Amino acid sequence: MNCYICTKSTETFVHEKTDITYYHCKACEYIFKSSEYHQDLTVQKERYNLHENDAEDEGYQAYFQRFLDFILPLVGKPKTALDFGCGRSSLLATLLEKEVTKCDYYDPIYHPDTLNDTKKYDLIVSTEVFEHLHQPREVFESLLERLEEGGYLALQTQFHPNDVEAFKKWYYHQDPTHIVFFTAQTFRVLCEIYGCEFVGDNGKNMVVMKK
Ligand SMILES: [Zn+2]
């Protein structure tokens, strides 16, 4: 199996507890579950509906605030912004609006008709989205197309430990809707492929790139 991000060959491993097969690219550090474990949107929605992401919840606000505290010093002064894959709530867009600028939001399940295909943005944020994507490279490319020249893409997804035994013990892949996994290196490689600038990452789960 070749890597869907950088096309180099991958190594295969099986998680003994779940029997799920994973493919691990040593070049870009992308890991993905075998495609039979990918789920369609209806199944995903059933699981997301279990999440209690109440916009009034202080913990949830603090969670987004940590993301903004990391990315905002890196992204200049955006005049237009989009939250891609916001989920049910538009809380992150609301927080961005308070601190910086009006923010559009889109979600394929909860807010599917909010995207304007001709509109371009100075900043696109996407938190806890990329680990759900069947085709992250294609989505990455489509988000770049929605960015202005010099615009920023800021993502949040947990970086995996890049070690097979540590990966097996890691909690993040146990969510059946999480099917693909990244490190900062994966995003560095994506930046090389698409001619973007890798601006920075927090070593854990956040990354900022510039078109
Ligand atoms: Zn790769």
Side-chain angles (χ1 to χ4, degrees):
M1 183 70 78
N2 284 353
C3 175
Y4 293 140
I5 299 289
C6 75
T7 71
K8 296 209 168 68
S9 60
T10 60
E11 292 180 12
T12 304
F13 66 91
V14 176
H15 196 300
E16 294 82 358
K17 278 193 187 142
T18 58
D19 245 6
I20 294 175
T21 299
Y22 294 82
Y23 301 95
H24 183 191
C25 175
K26 293 287 169 69
C28 76
E29 302 184 356
Y30 181 54
I31 295 181
F32 52 106
K33 282 182 185 171
S34 181
S35 59
E36 69 260 35
Y37 298 102
H38 295 190
Q39 295 174 322
D40 64 28
L41 280 181
T42 321
V43 179
Q44 293 193 41
K45 183 173 183 179
E46 285 166 8
R47 183 165 176 103
Y48 300 146
N49 282 337
L50 301 174
H51 286 225
E52 287 297 326
N53 285 340
D54 181 5
E56 298 303 314
D57 183 85
E58 282 181 21
Y60 197 41
Q61 293 210 20
Y63 169 83
F64 281 136
Q65 195 60 49
R66 282 195 292 278
F67 176 69
L68 293 179
D69 288 347
F70 176 73
I71 71 153
L72 287 181
L74 301 175
V75 301
K77 296 202 183 329
K79 293 194 179 66
T80 50
L82 168 68
D83 180 7
F84 179 85
C86 59
R88 195 172 358 191
S89 130
S90 56
L91 175 60
L92 178 56
T94 305
L95 292 176
L96 251 173
E97 236 166 282
K98 271 186 202 156
E99 295 212 23
V100 194
T101 185
K102 182 165 169 25
C103 183
D104 293 342
Y105 52 91
Y106 164 81
D107 189 87
I109 293 174
Y110 295 105
H111 305 281
D113 304 315
T114 53
L115 271 190
N116 172 348
D117 281 333
T118 57
K119 187 167 178 182
K120 301 231 177 192
Y121 295 94
D122 295 329
L123 171 65
I124 298 177
V125 297
S126 190
T127 66
E128 305 293 322
V129 170
F130 267 62
E131 64 275 12
H132 300 278
L133 299 175
H134 299 187
Q135 297 173 305
R137 182 168 160 170
E138 285 75 2
V139 173
F140 185 88
E141 187 174 343
S142 75
L143 292 180
L144 288 183
E145 284 166 10
R146 293 181 191 278
L147 275 181
E148 298 280 7
E149 234 19 81
Y152 291 88
L153 177 60
L155 307 178
Q156 176 169 316
T157 182
Q158 290 292 327
F159 299 159
H160 67 73
N162 202 35
D163 170 89
V164 170
E165 291 314 312
F167 182 90
K168 287 177 182 173
K169 296 192 188 91
W170 191 43
Y171 75 101
Y172 205 60
H173 59 75
Q174 293 169 17
D175 181 328
T177 67
H178 293 180
I179 54 175
V180 299
F181 309 94
F182 308 81
T183 67
Q185 172 64 10
T186 323
F187 293 107
R188 284 182 192 277
V189 170
L190 276 168
C191 282
E192 282 168 25
I193 292 170
Y194 290 101
C196 303
E197 181 189 335
F198 185 91
V199 176
D201 70 275
N202 71 344
K204 196 176 144 202
N205 62 346
M206 301 173 193
V207 58
V208 176
M209 295 155 285
K210 184 179 186 185
K211 181 175 175 181

